[in-house]
């Protein structure tokens, strides 16, 4: 190998090495270790543990109603977030794109909630739900605002959705804005000349041109929704009871909060990983076909 090529390879490896080492130590090795411990009864503290095969997986899926409930609740949350977050983000992006002079102002305003920590947002909204909205309902005719936003199992789910959307829509909006700016203006002008309405122009011209952005946003929303933790932990703590407990909270509780069953919690994490992997492959496959059709 020529000396120049050898030095080039060494320099590339030197630049990649720090990121790869961090990835190896803090992601890859813990992931492999978690998969191994999912087949054991390790409690996370003792050195001694036993290999129990698929026992943890069988218990989680057949004998743990709390885990099954948290899984179903998470799936419900994922469905709402995929639809609502992308619809609101796209609508905001289209709205801002039409504002020539105030585009920067609106872009900043709608993105600002994303700059706040999710757990801080949850605490802020806890105050809004428990103090501000009841006061508004008392002083106005909007009595529907006087709800047990956090204490009622039927309402608390929608409180979680509201906070999640408030915190996350801005990030997806930026992605959609970048995609909209890449749509050739000549195509939209040609559609208008042909007599297309604004809605027809968006549906027939703009939307097919930004399908790649839709794929990215759906992917990010799907993964983020399955791994949601902070907003639920800060807003409801999984309550009242366990009515709003998501799967990540159930895993956290199993490993660190009550039982210290690290092996069992690792098995639940593997189940979550497999579910995310399946849904991701389905979503990417469907969206890629839509991109080809577009």
């Amino acid at each position: 190998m020529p000396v120049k090529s050898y030095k080039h390879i060494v320099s590339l490896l030197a630049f990649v090495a720090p990121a790869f080492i961090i990835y190896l130590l803090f992601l890859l090795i813990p992931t492999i270790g978690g998969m191994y411990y999912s087949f054991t009864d390790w409690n996370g503290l003792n050195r001694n543990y036993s290999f129990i095969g698929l026992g943890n997986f069988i218990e989680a899926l057949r004998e743990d109603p709390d885990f099954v409930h948290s899984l179903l609740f998470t799936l419900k949350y994922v469905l709402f977030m995929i639809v609502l977050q992308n619809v609101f983000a796209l609508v905001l992006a289209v709205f801002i794109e039409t504002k020539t002079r105030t585009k920067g102002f609106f872009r900043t305003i709608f993105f600002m909630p994303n700059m706040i920590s999710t757990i801080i947002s949850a605490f802020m909204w806890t105050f809004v739900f428990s103090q501000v909205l009841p006061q508004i309902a008392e002083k106005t005719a909007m009595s529907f605002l006087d709800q047990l936003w956090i204490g009622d199992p039927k309402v608390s789910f929608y409180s979680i959705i509201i906070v999640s959307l408030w915190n996350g829509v801005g990030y997806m909006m930026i992605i959609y804005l970048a995609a909209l700016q890449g749509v050739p203006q000549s195509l939209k002008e040609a559609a208008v000349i042909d007599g297309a309405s604004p809605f027809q122009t968006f549906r027939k011209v703009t939307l097919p041109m930004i399908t790649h952005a839709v794929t990215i946003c759906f992917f990010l929303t799907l993964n983020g929704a399955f791994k949601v933790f902070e907003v639920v932990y800060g807003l409801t703590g999984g309550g009242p009871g366990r009515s709003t407990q998501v799967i990540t909270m159930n895993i956290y509780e199993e490993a660190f909060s009550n039982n210290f069953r690290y092996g069992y919690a690792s098995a639940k994490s593997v189940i979550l990983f497999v579910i995310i992997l399946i849904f991701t492959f389905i979503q990417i496959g469907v969206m890629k076909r839509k991109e080809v059709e577009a």
Side-chain angles (χ1 to χ4, degrees):
M1 179 182 294
V3 177
K4 186 176 181 180
S5 299
Y6 177 77
K7 290 183 177 179
H8 180 66
I9 293 174
V10 171
S11 63
L12 289 177
L13 291 176
F15 279 109
V16 173
F20 179 75
I21 291 173
I22 293 174
Y23 173 80
L24 186 69
L25 292 177
F26 295 100
L27 185 62
L28 189 59
I29 292 178
T31 299
I32 297 173
M35 289 181 177
Y36 171 77
Y37 288 123
S38 67
F39 297 99
T40 71
D41 61 355
W42 187 40
N43 64 2
L45 300 173
N46 297 333
R47 293 184 178 181
N48 299 324
Y49 54 85
S50 302
F51 186 82
I52 60 174
L54 297 176
N56 287 328
F57 297 93
I58 295 172
E59 180 181 351
L61 296 174
R62 291 186 178 180
E63 304 171 13
D64 193 340
D66 291 334
F67 175 72
V68 175
H69 173 269
S70 66
L71 177 58
L72 295 176
F73 182 83
T74 304
L75 290 173
K76 178 182 176 182
Y77 173 84
V78 169
L79 178 62
F80 271 76
M81 286 301 295
I82 287 178
V83 176
L84 295 179
Q85 184 157 297
N86 284 281
V87 169
F88 283 137
L90 184 56
V91 169
L92 287 177
V94 173
F95 168 76
I96 293 174
E97 186 64 20
T98 61
K99 304 297 180 181
T100 305
R101 295 184 178 180
T102 57
K103 184 182 297 185
F105 171 76
F106 282 112
R107 185 167 50 197
T108 302
I109 291 297
F110 289 124
F111 184 74
M112 280 181 65
N114 187 258
M115 301 171 65
I116 303 174
S117 169
T118 308
I119 191 69
I120 299 299
S121 299
F123 290 144
M124 288 169 50
W125 277 92
T126 299
F127 175 77
V128 172
F129 287 136
S130 61
Q131 301 294 329
V132 178
L133 294 184
Q135 290 294 324
I136 294 176
E138 182 180 342
K139 298 181 183 302
T140 64
M142 295 184 289
S143 58
F144 65 92
L145 293 177
D146 190 8
Q147 301 276 346
L148 291 175
W149 292 95
I150 299 174
D152 188 344
K154 296 181 180 179
V155 183
S156 53
F157 170 76
Y158 299 103
S159 303
I160 294 171
I161 293 294
I162 290 171
V163 179
S164 298
L165 291 174
W166 182 83
N167 193 257
V169 163
Y171 185 78
M172 302 301 164
M173 178 198 70
I174 294 297
I175 298 176
Y176 282 124
L177 270 173
L180 288 172
Q181 291 172 0
V183 178
Q185 187 65 27
S186 58
L187 293 179
K188 292 188 283 188
E189 292 174 352
V192 172
I193 293 174
D194 289 339
S197 66
F199 177 76
Q200 290 173 327
T201 302
F202 174 78
R203 181 169 173 267
K204 297 293 186 179
V205 178
T206 305
L207 191 58
M209 294 290 293
I210 64 170
T211 312
H212 61 286
V214 177
T215 302
I216 295 172
C217 289
F218 268 59
F219 172 79
L220 294 175
T221 306
L222 178 71
N223 281 268
F226 266 116
K227 295 182 290 186
V228 63
F229 180 84
E230 297 98 326
V231 64
V232 181
Y233 184 81
L235 199 62
T236 67
R242 294 175 183 266
S243 59
T244 61
Q245 187 181 70
V246 289
I247 190 170
T248 51
M249 286 193 66
N250 184 271
I251 294 171
Y252 172 83
E253 182 182 88
E254 203 70 56
F256 305 110
S257 183
N258 295 331
N259 301 323
F260 294 99
R261 299 181 63 189
Y262 191 89
Y264 186 44
S266 296
K268 291 182 177 182
S269 300
V270 172
I271 294 173
L272 175 60
F273 170 74
V274 172
I275 292 173
I276 294 176
L277 197 64
I278 293 172
F279 274 85
T280 300
F281 276 127
I282 294 173
Q283 179 258 322
I284 291 178
V286 172
M287 296 305 297
K288 285 298 181 182
R289 284 199 295 270
K290 293 292 184 181
E291 288 184 29
V292 172
E293 292 173 3

